[in-house]
Amino acid sequence: MKNKIVFASFFILVVTTAFSQSISSSPYSIYGLGSLYDSDFGSNASIGSSGIALPSTSSINNLNPASLGFMAQNHFLFDVGGKSIFTSYENGSTKESRNNIQFSHIALAFPVTSKSAVSLALKPYSSATYKISNLLLPIDNSTESYTLNATGSGGLNDVSLSYGYKIGKKISLGLSTNFLFGTITDERGYTVGNSITNIDKTSYYNGARVSLGSQVQIDSTLSVGLNFKSPSQVKASKVQSVVSYNGSTSTSTTIESDADYDVEDYYLPLEVGVGLSKVFKNNLNLTMDYSKSLWDSTNQSDLYGTYINQDKFALGFSYSKMNSIRTYFDRIKYSTGFNYDTGFLEIDNKRISNVAFSVGVSLPVENRTFSALNVTYSYGQKGSISNGLIKENYHKISVNLSLDAIWFVKRKFE
């Protein structure tokens, strides 16, 4: 047990350090609240980020709060994770590469009664870290263009409190409340001829969102899950400074300095997801998820793009020799998955979609519990190089530590 505590403390220190420098560094994070994070708990990253129908028996499942209803008694679950990402960007004429480390999540869960459990989690919700140089854009209702230079940093955090309750032996219902908060700093320079206008602003966001979920275990090998994320409003305000510079006269004019504004709030859409989990006789587990986000109904738009309805497809396979354990290697679980996201942004009539493939292993940490170290490799592509857009190719290593402790059980032998 001491070794487990030391291991967990070291891992928490690593991901906490990563949290302080967690960045997305995607040019597409200039839109809205930034690039949305995929915080995969347990081994979900290795099965294509699927798992709406999986119960929280051996690890915490953040995809459906109803999974907590099937949590084992006297077990305390803890999950923490981080990611390392290598990304290359190309737009047809230039190519650039970047490396970054991201904090993924930290979470805990424990039973409240024999039929219910709760979980508490902290994770990033979005990241708006980007740098765009000399981007030529047309001026509306004009034949002229302007040049945009922009840098941004910051993002939103997500603190969630979830509760699951089991009805009978096969049905569980769940409720989750997510509290979103954070700041985004944005510096932009607009150049038209010899005139440059610099706008520096810091935006502040806060809001809450409620999710409902259900899971049904049809039999010992088949289960289905369903979840709903409510449409919600994220309130926003900003502090802004504007300075104009005239290159012909070499003079600058301060138009406003640290001015406070109430800006348009940001709206999150209704999201509906459905999942299936099937276990075959040879210990092969199939998971399939589909979710839809109704962004079009939020009636909001971005300066450079349009919000459209989003579809996500996730497929995963995992395999282990749990019925014939002889050695440590027999206890290792192997997984692979596929994920396709149509995206919720359309730029110049082109969707910013994302496709990813993953493989991973779940390495047991202790014999008597569900504790495991989950390591996943993913390769994906986001965007395209058509219509002057940017294509991202990324390699991602995800590392999650899932710890399981057994509480309030008396020893039979001293």
Short mmCIF file of all heavy atoms in Angstrom, two decimals, residues 32-99:
data_model
loop_
_atom_site.label_atom_id
_atom_site.label_comp_id
_atom_site.label_asym_id
_atom_site.label_seq_id
_atom_site.Cartn_x
_atom_site.Cartn_y
_atom_site.Cartn_z
N GLY A 32 -14.50 30.51 -30.61
CA GLY A 32 -15.31 30.26 -29.44
C GLY A 32 -14.52 30.24 -28.14
O GLY A 32 -13.73 31.15 -27.86
N LEU A 33 -14.72 29.20 -27.35
CA LEU A 33 -14.02 29.03 -26.08
C LEU A 33 -12.69 28.32 -26.24
O LEU A 33 -12.01 28.05 -25.26
CB LEU A 33 -14.90 28.24 -25.10
CG LEU A 33 -16.26 28.86 -24.74
CD1 LEU A 33 -17.03 27.94 -23.81
CD2 LEU A 33 -16.08 30.24 -24.12
N GLY A 34 -12.31 28.02 -27.48
CA GLY A 34 -11.05 27.32 -27.74
C GLY A 34 -11.30 25.87 -28.13
O GLY A 34 -12.44 25.43 -28.31
N SER A 35 -10.22 25.10 -28.26
CA SER A 35 -10.33 23.68 -28.58
C SER A 35 -10.84 22.94 -27.35
O SER A 35 -10.32 23.11 -26.25
CB SER A 35 -8.97 23.12 -29.00
OG SER A 35 -8.52 23.75 -30.19
N LEU A 36 -11.86 22.10 -27.54
CA LEU A 36 -12.44 21.35 -26.44
C LEU A 36 -11.57 20.14 -26.12
O LEU A 36 -11.07 19.46 -27.01
CB LEU A 36 -13.86 20.91 -26.78
CG LEU A 36 -14.84 22.02 -27.16
CD1 LEU A 36 -16.24 21.46 -27.35
CD2 LEU A 36 -14.85 23.13 -26.12
N TYR A 37 -11.38 19.86 -24.83
CA TYR A 37 -10.54 18.77 -24.38
C TYR A 37 -11.29 17.43 -24.40
O TYR A 37 -12.50 17.39 -24.17
CB TYR A 37 -10.06 19.02 -22.95
CG TYR A 37 -8.74 19.73 -22.85
CD1 TYR A 37 -8.68 21.11 -22.81
CD2 TYR A 37 -7.55 19.03 -22.81
CE1 TYR A 37 -7.47 21.77 -22.71
CE2 TYR A 37 -6.34 19.67 -22.71
CZ TYR A 37 -6.31 21.05 -22.65
OH TYR A 37 -5.11 21.69 -22.56
N ASP A 38 -10.55 16.38 -24.68
CA ASP A 38 -11.05 15.01 -24.49
C ASP A 38 -10.36 14.45 -23.25
O ASP A 38 -9.21 14.01 -23.32
CB ASP A 38 -10.74 14.15 -25.71
CG ASP A 38 -11.54 14.56 -26.93
OD1 ASP A 38 -12.71 14.93 -26.76
OD2 ASP A 38 -10.99 14.52 -28.05
N SER A 39 -11.06 14.48 -22.14
CA SER A 39 -10.49 13.94 -20.89
C SER A 39 -10.99 12.52 -20.71
O SER A 39 -12.10 12.29 -20.22
CB SER A 39 -10.89 14.81 -19.70
OG SER A 39 -10.33 16.10 -19.82
N ASP A 40 -10.18 11.55 -21.14
CA ASP A 40 -10.56 10.15 -21.06
C ASP A 40 -10.09 9.55 -19.75
O ASP A 40 -8.89 9.50 -19.46
CB ASP A 40 -9.95 9.38 -22.23
CG ASP A 40 -10.52 9.83 -23.57
OD1 ASP A 40 -11.75 9.78 -23.71
OD2 ASP A 40 -9.74 10.22 -24.45
N PHE A 41 -11.03 9.06 -18.95
CA PHE A 41 -10.70 8.42 -17.68
C PHE A 41 -10.40 6.94 -17.92
O PHE A 41 -10.85 6.35 -18.90
CB PHE A 41 -11.85 8.54 -16.69
CG PHE A 41 -12.09 9.93 -16.18
CD1 PHE A 41 -11.60 11.05 -16.84
CD2 PHE A 41 -12.83 10.14 -15.04
CE1 PHE A 41 -11.82 12.32 -16.37
CE2 PHE A 41 -13.07 11.41 -14.55
CZ PHE A 41 -12.56 12.51 -15.23
N GLY A 42 -9.64 6.34 -17.00
CA GLY A 42 -9.36 4.92 -17.11
C GLY A 42 -8.72 4.56 -18.43
O GLY A 42 -7.78 5.21 -18.89
N SER A 43 -9.23 3.52 -19.08
CA SER A 43 -8.69 3.06 -20.36
C SER A 43 -9.55 3.51 -21.53
O SER A 43 -9.42 2.98 -22.64
CB SER A 43 -8.57 1.53 -20.37
OG SER A 43 -9.84 0.94 -20.17
N ASN A 44 -10.44 4.49 -21.32
CA ASN A 44 -11.34 4.92 -22.40
C ASN A 44 -10.60 5.48 -23.61
O ASN A 44 -11.08 5.38 -24.74
CB ASN A 44 -12.33 5.97 -21.88
CG ASN A 44 -13.42 5.36 -21.01
OD1 ASN A 44 -13.39 4.17 -20.75
ND2 ASN A 44 -14.35 6.17 -20.57
N ALA A 45 -9.42 6.10 -23.39
CA ALA A 45 -8.68 6.66 -24.51
C ALA A 45 -8.29 5.58 -25.51
O ALA A 45 -8.25 5.81 -26.72
CB ALA A 45 -7.43 7.38 -24.01
N SER A 46 -7.99 4.38 -25.02
CA SER A 46 -7.53 3.31 -25.90
C SER A 46 -8.65 2.66 -26.70
O SER A 46 -8.39 1.95 -27.68
CB SER A 46 -6.79 2.24 -25.08
OG SER A 46 -7.67 1.67 -24.13
N ILE A 47 -9.91 2.86 -26.31
CA ILE A 47 -11.04 2.30 -27.05
C ILE A 47 -11.78 3.40 -27.80
O ILE A 47 -13.02 3.39 -27.89
CB ILE A 47 -11.99 1.50 -26.13
CG1 ILE A 47 -12.43 2.33 -24.91
CG2 ILE A 47 -11.34 0.21 -25.68
CD1 ILE A 47 -13.45 1.64 -24.04
N GLY A 48 -11.02 4.35 -28.33
CA GLY A 48 -11.60 5.40 -29.17
C GLY A 48 -12.46 6.39 -28.44
O GLY A 48 -13.37 6.98 -29.03
N SER A 49 -12.22 6.58 -27.13
CA SER A 49 -13.01 7.50 -26.30
C SER A 49 -14.48 7.06 -26.24
O SER A 49 -15.38 7.89 -26.09
CB SER A 49 -12.91 8.94 -26.81
OG SER A 49 -11.59 9.40 -26.76
N SER A 50 -14.73 5.76 -26.35
CA SER A 50 -16.08 5.23 -26.20
C SER A 50 -16.28 4.75 -24.77
O SER A 50 -15.33 4.67 -23.99
CB SER A 50 -16.31 4.08 -27.19
OG SER A 50 -15.39 3.02 -26.95
N GLY A 51 -17.53 4.40 -24.42
CA GLY A 51 -17.77 3.87 -23.08
C GLY A 51 -19.02 4.37 -22.40
O GLY A 51 -19.14 4.24 -21.18
N ILE A 52 -20.00 4.92 -23.13
CA ILE A 52 -21.23 5.40 -22.51
C ILE A 52 -21.97 4.28 -21.78
O ILE A 52 -22.66 4.51 -20.78
CB ILE A 52 -22.14 6.05 -23.58
CG1 ILE A 52 -21.50 7.34 -24.11
CG2 ILE A 52 -23.52 6.36 -23.03
CD1 ILE A 52 -22.28 8.01 -25.23
N ALA A 53 -21.80 3.03 -22.25
CA ALA A 53 -22.50 1.91 -21.64
C ALA A 53 -21.67 1.16 -20.62
O ALA A 53 -22.15 0.17 -20.04
CB ALA A 53 -22.96 0.94 -22.73
N LEU A 54 -20.43 1.58 -20.35
CA LEU A 54 -19.56 0.85 -19.42
C LEU A 54 -19.82 1.27 -17.97
O LEU A 54 -19.87 2.46 -17.67
CB LEU A 54 -18.09 1.10 -19.77
CG LEU A 54 -17.59 0.53 -21.10
CD1 LEU A 54 -16.14 0.91 -21.33
CD2 LEU A 54 -17.76 -0.99 -21.13
N PRO A 55 -19.95 0.33 -17.04
CA PRO A 55 -20.14 0.67 -15.63
C PRO A 55 -18.83 1.05 -14.96
O PRO A 55 -17.75 0.69 -15.43
CB PRO A 55 -20.69 -0.64 -15.04
CG PRO A 55 -20.06 -1.70 -15.89
CD PRO A 55 -20.00 -1.12 -17.28
N SER A 56 -18.91 1.77 -13.85
CA SER A 56 -17.72 2.17 -13.09
C SER A 56 -17.39 1.10 -12.05
O SER A 56 -17.37 1.36 -10.85
CB SER A 56 -17.94 3.53 -12.41
OG SER A 56 -18.01 4.57 -13.35
N THR A 57 -17.13 -0.11 -12.51
CA THR A 57 -16.80 -1.19 -11.59
C THR A 57 -15.31 -1.21 -11.26
O THR A 57 -14.93 -1.36 -10.10
CB THR A 57 -17.21 -2.54 -12.19
OG1 THR A 57 -16.69 -2.64 -13.53
CG2 THR A 57 -18.73 -2.66 -12.24
N SER A 58 -14.46 -1.06 -12.28
CA SER A 58 -13.02 -1.14 -12.05
C SER A 58 -12.33 0.22 -12.16
O SER A 58 -11.20 0.39 -11.71
CB SER A 58 -12.37 -2.11 -13.03
OG SER A 58 -12.62 -1.73 -14.37
N SER A 59 -12.98 1.21 -12.78
CA SER A 59 -12.42 2.56 -12.90
C SER A 59 -13.55 3.55 -13.09
O SER A 59 -14.69 3.17 -13.40
CB SER A 59 -11.43 2.66 -14.07
OG SER A 59 -12.09 2.42 -15.30
N ILE A 60 -13.26 4.84 -12.91
CA ILE A 60 -14.27 5.88 -13.04
C ILE A 60 -14.57 6.11 -14.52
O ILE A 60 -13.66 6.24 -15.34
CB ILE A 60 -13.79 7.19 -12.39
CG1 ILE A 60 -13.42 6.94 -10.93
CG2 ILE A 60 -14.88 8.26 -12.47
CD1 ILE A 60 -12.77 8.14 -10.26
N ASN A 61 -15.85 6.15 -14.86
CA ASN A 61 -16.28 6.43 -16.23
C ASN A 61 -16.96 7.79 -16.27
O ASN A 61 -18.08 7.94 -15.78
CB ASN A 61 -17.22 5.33 -16.72
CG ASN A 61 -17.70 5.57 -18.15
OD1 ASN A 61 -17.18 6.44 -18.85
ND2 ASN A 61 -18.69 4.81 -18.58
N ASN A 62 -16.29 8.78 -16.85
CA ASN A 62 -16.84 10.14 -16.88
C ASN A 62 -17.81 10.37 -18.03
O ASN A 62 -18.36 11.47 -18.17
CB ASN A 62 -15.71 11.17 -16.97
CG ASN A 62 -14.94 11.08 -18.28
OD1 ASN A 62 -14.52 9.99 -18.68
ND2 ASN A 62 -14.74 12.21 -18.94
N LEU A 63 -18.05 9.37 -18.87
CA LEU A 63 -18.93 9.54 -20.03
C LEU A 63 -20.40 9.40 -19.67
O LEU A 63 -21.26 9.79 -20.47
CB LEU A 63 -18.56 8.53 -21.12
CG LEU A 63 -17.15 8.65 -21.69
CD1 LEU A 63 -16.92 7.56 -22.73
CD2 LEU A 63 -16.92 10.02 -22.30
N ASN A 64 -20.70 8.83 -18.49
CA ASN A 64 -22.09 8.64 -18.11
C ASN A 64 -22.18 8.56 -16.59
O ASN A 64 -21.65 7.63 -15.98
CB ASN A 64 -22.63 7.34 -18.73
CG ASN A 64 -24.13 7.20 -18.61
OD1 ASN A 64 -24.76 7.86 -17.79
ND2 ASN A 64 -24.71 6.34 -19.43
N PRO A 65 -22.85 9.52 -15.93
CA PRO A 65 -22.93 9.49 -14.47
C PRO A 65 -23.67 8.27 -13.93
O PRO A 65 -23.46 7.87 -12.78
CB PRO A 65 -23.67 10.79 -14.13
CG PRO A 65 -24.42 11.14 -15.37
CD PRO A 65 -23.56 10.68 -16.51
N ALA A 66 -24.51 7.65 -14.77
CA ALA A 66 -25.24 6.46 -14.32
C ALA A 66 -24.31 5.29 -14.06
O ALA A 66 -24.69 4.35 -13.35
CB ALA A 66 -26.29 6.07 -15.37
N SER A 67 -23.10 5.33 -14.61
CA SER A 67 -22.14 4.24 -14.40
C SER A 67 -21.78 4.08 -12.92
O SER A 67 -21.39 2.99 -12.49
CB SER A 67 -20.86 4.49 -15.21
OG SER A 67 -20.20 5.67 -14.75
N LEU A 68 -21.94 5.14 -12.13
CA LEU A 68 -21.61 5.08 -10.70
C LEU A 68 -22.54 4.16 -9.93
O LEU A 68 -22.19 3.65 -8.86
CB LEU A 68 -21.66 6.49 -10.10
CG LEU A 68 -20.58 7.46 -10.59
CD1 LEU A 68 -20.92 8.89 -10.18
CD2 LEU A 68 -19.21 7.07 -10.06
N GLY A 69 -23.75 3.92 -10.46
CA GLY A 69 -24.69 3.05 -9.77
C GLY A 69 -24.21 1.61 -9.68
O GLY A 69 -24.67 0.86 -8.81
N PHE A 70 -23.30 1.23 -10.57
CA PHE A 70 -22.79 -0.15 -10.58
C PHE A 70 -21.41 -0.26 -9.93
O PHE A 70 -20.72 -1.26 -10.08
CB PHE A 70 -22.70 -0.66 -12.02
CG PHE A 70 -24.05 -0.82 -12.68
CD1 PHE A 70 -24.47 0.10 -13.63
CD2 PHE A 70 -24.88 -1.86 -12.34
CE1 PHE A 70 -25.70 -0.04 -14.24
CE2 PHE A 70 -26.12 -2.01 -12.94
CZ PHE A 70 -26.54 -1.10 -13.90
N MET A 71 -21.02 0.76 -9.18
CA MET A 71 -19.72 0.73 -8.52
C MET A 71 -19.71 -0.30 -7.40
O MET A 71 -20.68 -0.45 -6.66
CB MET A 71 -19.39 2.12 -7.96
CG MET A 71 -18.00 2.23 -7.37
SD MET A 71 -17.61 3.93 -6.89
CE MET A 71 -16.06 3.66 -6.03
N ALA A 72 -18.59 -1.03 -7.29
CA ALA A 72 -18.46 -2.07 -6.27
C ALA A 72 -18.43 -1.46 -4.87
O ALA A 72 -17.87 -0.38 -4.65
CB ALA A 72 -17.19 -2.89 -6.52
N GLN A 73 -19.03 -2.18 -3.91
CA GLN A 73 -19.07 -1.71 -2.53
C GLN A 73 -17.69 -1.76 -1.89
O GLN A 73 -16.84 -2.57 -2.25
CB GLN A 73 -20.04 -2.57 -1.73
CG GLN A 73 -21.49 -2.31 -2.09
CD GLN A 73 -21.90 -0.89 -1.77
OE1 GLN A 73 -21.90 -0.47 -0.61
NE2 GLN A 73 -22.25 -0.14 -2.79
N ASN A 74 -17.47 -0.84 -0.92
CA ASN A 74 -16.22 -0.75 -0.15
C ASN A 74 -15.01 -0.43 -1.00
O ASN A 74 -13.87 -0.61 -0.55
CB ASN A 74 -15.97 -2.05 0.63
CG ASN A 74 -17.10 -2.40 1.56
OD1 ASN A 74 -17.80 -3.38 1.34
ND2 ASN A 74 -17.30 -1.60 2.60
N HIS A 75 -15.23 0.05 -2.22
CA HIS A 75 -14.11 0.42 -3.08
C HIS A 75 -14.05 1.94 -3.23
O HIS A 75 -15.08 2.61 -3.38
CB HIS A 75 -14.25 -0.21 -4.47
CG HIS A 75 -13.93 -1.67 -4.50
ND1 HIS A 75 -12.77 -2.17 -5.05
CD2 HIS A 75 -14.61 -2.74 -4.02
CE1 HIS A 75 -12.76 -3.48 -4.92
NE2 HIS A 75 -13.87 -3.85 -4.31
N PHE A 76 -12.85 2.47 -3.17
CA PHE A 76 -12.58 3.90 -3.39
C PHE A 76 -11.73 4.00 -4.65
O PHE A 76 -10.64 3.45 -4.71
CB PHE A 76 -11.86 4.51 -2.19
CG PHE A 76 -11.52 5.96 -2.36
CD1 PHE A 76 -12.38 6.94 -1.93
CD2 PHE A 76 -10.32 6.34 -2.97
CE1 PHE A 76 -12.07 8.29 -2.08
CE2 PHE A 76 -10.00 7.67 -3.12
CZ PHE A 76 -10.88 8.66 -2.68
N LEU A 77 -12.24 4.70 -5.68
CA LEU A 77 -11.54 4.82 -6.96
C LEU A 77 -10.92 6.20 -7.11
O LEU A 77 -11.55 7.22 -6.76
CB LEU A 77 -12.50 4.56 -8.12
CG LEU A 77 -13.17 3.18 -8.18
CD1 LEU A 77 -14.11 3.09 -9.36
CD2 LEU A 77 -12.12 2.08 -8.23
N PHE A 78 -9.73 6.22 -7.62
CA PHE A 78 -9.00 7.47 -7.87
C PHE A 78 -8.39 7.39 -9.27
O PHE A 78 -7.85 6.35 -9.66
CB PHE A 78 -7.90 7.66 -6.82
CG PHE A 78 -7.03 8.87 -7.05
CD1 PHE A 78 -7.45 10.12 -6.64
CD2 PHE A 78 -5.80 8.75 -7.68
CE1 PHE A 78 -6.65 11.24 -6.85
CE2 PHE A 78 -5.01 9.85 -7.89
CZ PHE A 78 -5.44 11.10 -7.47
N ASP A 79 -8.48 8.47 -10.03
CA ASP A 79 -7.99 8.47 -11.41
C ASP A 79 -7.32 9.81 -11.72
O ASP A 79 -7.87 10.87 -11.41
CB ASP A 79 -9.14 8.25 -12.38
CG ASP A 79 -8.69 7.62 -13.70
OD1 ASP A 79 -7.97 8.27 -14.46
OD2 ASP A 79 -9.07 6.46 -13.94
N VAL A 80 -6.12 9.73 -12.31
CA VAL A 80 -5.40 10.94 -12.68
C VAL A 80 -4.67 10.66 -13.98
O VAL A 80 -4.22 9.54 -14.23
CB VAL A 80 -4.42 11.37 -11.56
CG1 VAL A 80 -3.36 10.31 -11.31
CG2 VAL A 80 -3.75 12.71 -11.89
N GLY A 81 -4.57 11.67 -14.85
CA GLY A 81 -3.95 11.40 -16.15
C GLY A 81 -3.37 12.63 -16.80
O GLY A 81 -3.64 13.78 -16.41
N GLY A 82 -2.55 12.38 -17.82
CA GLY A 82 -1.93 13.45 -18.59
C GLY A 82 -1.63 12.96 -20.00
O GLY A 82 -1.73 11.77 -20.30
N LYS A 83 -1.26 13.90 -20.88
CA LYS A 83 -1.00 13.57 -22.28
C LYS A 83 0.25 14.29 -22.77
O LYS A 83 0.55 15.40 -22.32
CB LYS A 83 -2.17 14.00 -23.17
CG LYS A 83 -3.52 13.46 -22.76
CD LYS A 83 -4.62 14.05 -23.62
CE LYS A 83 -6.00 13.60 -23.16
NZ LYS A 83 -7.08 14.19 -23.98
N SER A 84 0.94 13.66 -23.71
CA SER A 84 2.04 14.29 -24.43
C SER A 84 1.71 14.23 -25.90
O SER A 84 1.40 13.14 -26.43
CB SER A 84 3.36 13.57 -24.13
OG SER A 84 4.42 14.13 -24.88
N ILE A 85 1.73 15.37 -26.58
CA ILE A 85 1.27 15.44 -27.97
C ILE A 85 2.34 16.07 -28.86
O ILE A 85 2.88 17.14 -28.54
CB ILE A 85 -0.03 16.25 -28.07
CG1 ILE A 85 -1.11 15.66 -27.16
CG2 ILE A 85 -0.54 16.28 -29.51
CD1 ILE A 85 -2.40 16.42 -27.15
N PHE A 86 2.62 15.41 -29.98
CA PHE A 86 3.48 15.96 -31.03
C PHE A 86 2.58 16.25 -32.23
O PHE A 86 1.93 15.35 -32.76
CB PHE A 86 4.58 14.98 -31.41
CG PHE A 86 5.37 15.41 -32.62
CD1 PHE A 86 6.40 16.32 -32.49
CD2 PHE A 86 5.07 14.91 -33.87
CE1 PHE A 86 7.12 16.74 -33.60
CE2 PHE A 86 5.78 15.31 -34.99
CZ PHE A 86 6.82 16.23 -34.85
N THR A 87 2.56 17.51 -32.67
CA THR A 87 1.66 17.92 -33.75
C THR A 87 2.43 18.63 -34.85
O THR A 87 3.30 19.46 -34.58
CB THR A 87 0.57 18.87 -33.23
OG1 THR A 87 -0.06 18.30 -32.08
CG2 THR A 87 -0.48 19.13 -34.29
N SER A 88 2.09 18.31 -36.09
CA SER A 88 2.62 19.04 -37.24
C SER A 88 1.47 19.74 -37.94
O SER A 88 0.37 19.20 -38.08
CB SER A 88 3.33 18.08 -38.21
OG SER A 88 2.43 17.14 -38.75
N TYR A 89 1.72 20.98 -38.37
CA TYR A 89 0.72 21.80 -39.03
C TYR A 89 1.18 22.11 -40.45
O TYR A 89 2.35 22.44 -40.67
CB TYR A 89 0.50 23.12 -38.27
CG TYR A 89 0.22 22.95 -36.79
CD1 TYR A 89 1.27 22.90 -35.87
CD2 TYR A 89 -1.08 22.85 -36.32
CE1 TYR A 89 1.01 22.75 -34.52
CE2 TYR A 89 -1.33 22.71 -34.97
CZ TYR A 89 -0.29 22.66 -34.07
OH TYR A 89 -0.54 22.51 -32.73
N GLU A 90 0.25 22.05 -41.40
CA GLU A 90 0.59 22.38 -42.78
C GLU A 90 -0.61 23.00 -43.48
O GLU A 90 -1.75 22.65 -43.22
CB GLU A 90 1.06 21.14 -43.54
CG GLU A 90 0.08 19.98 -43.55
CD GLU A 90 0.63 18.80 -44.32
OE1 GLU A 90 1.25 19.01 -45.39
OE2 GLU A 90 0.46 17.66 -43.85
N ASN A 91 -0.31 23.96 -44.36
CA ASN A 91 -1.37 24.61 -45.13
C ASN A 91 -1.09 24.58 -46.63
O ASN A 91 -1.64 25.38 -47.39
CB ASN A 91 -1.56 26.05 -44.67
CG ASN A 91 -0.31 26.89 -44.89
OD1 ASN A 91 0.70 26.42 -45.42
ND2 ASN A 91 -0.38 28.17 -44.51
N GLY A 92 -0.24 23.68 -47.07
CA GLY A 92 0.07 23.56 -48.48
C GLY A 92 1.38 24.21 -48.87
O GLY A 92 2.08 23.73 -49.76
N SER A 93 1.74 25.30 -48.21
CA SER A 93 2.98 26.01 -48.54
C SER A 93 4.00 25.95 -47.42
O SER A 93 5.20 25.98 -47.66
CB SER A 93 2.67 27.48 -48.88
OG SER A 93 2.03 28.12 -47.79
N THR A 94 3.54 25.86 -46.18
CA THR A 94 4.46 25.82 -45.04
C THR A 94 4.09 24.66 -44.12
O THR A 94 2.96 24.14 -44.15
CB THR A 94 4.41 27.13 -44.24
OG1 THR A 94 3.08 27.36 -43.76
CG2 THR A 94 4.86 28.30 -45.10
N LYS A 95 5.03 24.27 -43.27
CA LYS A 95 4.83 23.19 -42.32
C LYS A 95 5.56 23.51 -41.04
O LYS A 95 6.69 23.99 -41.06
CB LYS A 95 5.32 21.86 -42.90
CG LYS A 95 4.94 20.64 -42.09
CD LYS A 95 5.31 19.35 -42.82
CE LYS A 95 4.87 18.13 -42.03
NZ LYS A 95 5.21 16.87 -42.75
N GLU A 96 4.92 23.26 -39.91
CA GLU A 96 5.50 23.57 -38.61
C GLU A 96 5.14 22.47 -37.62
O GLU A 96 4.08 21.85 -37.72
CB GLU A 96 4.96 24.92 -38.10
CG GLU A 96 5.49 25.35 -36.76
CD GLU A 96 4.90 26.68 -36.29
OE1 GLU A 96 4.27 27.36 -37.12
OE2 GLU A 96 5.03 26.98 -35.10
N SER A 97 6.03 22.20 -36.67
CA SER A 97 5.80 21.16 -35.67
C SER A 97 5.91 21.73 -34.26
O SER A 97 6.70 22.65 -34.02
CB SER A 97 6.82 20.02 -35.83
OG SER A 97 6.68 19.40 -37.10
N ARG A 98 5.12 21.18 -33.35
CA ARG A 98 5.14 21.61 -31.95
C ARG A 98 4.92 20.41 -31.02
O ARG A 98 4.22 19.46 -31.38
CB ARG A 98 4.05 22.66 -31.67
CG ARG A 98 4.21 23.97 -32.44
CD ARG A 98 3.10 24.94 -32.12
NE ARG A 98 3.13 26.11 -32.97
CZ ARG A 98 2.19 27.05 -32.97
NH1 ARG A 98 1.17 26.96 -32.14
NH2 ARG A 98 2.27 28.08 -33.79
N ASN A 99 5.50 20.49 -29.84
CA ASN A 99 5.29 19.48 -28.80
C ASN A 99 4.67 20.16 -27.59
O ASN A 99 4.99 21.31 -27.28
CB ASN A 99 6.61 18.83 -28.37
CG ASN A 99 7.29 18.11 -29.52
OD1 ASN A 99 6.64 17.40 -30.26
ND2 ASN A 99 8.59 18.29 -29.66
#
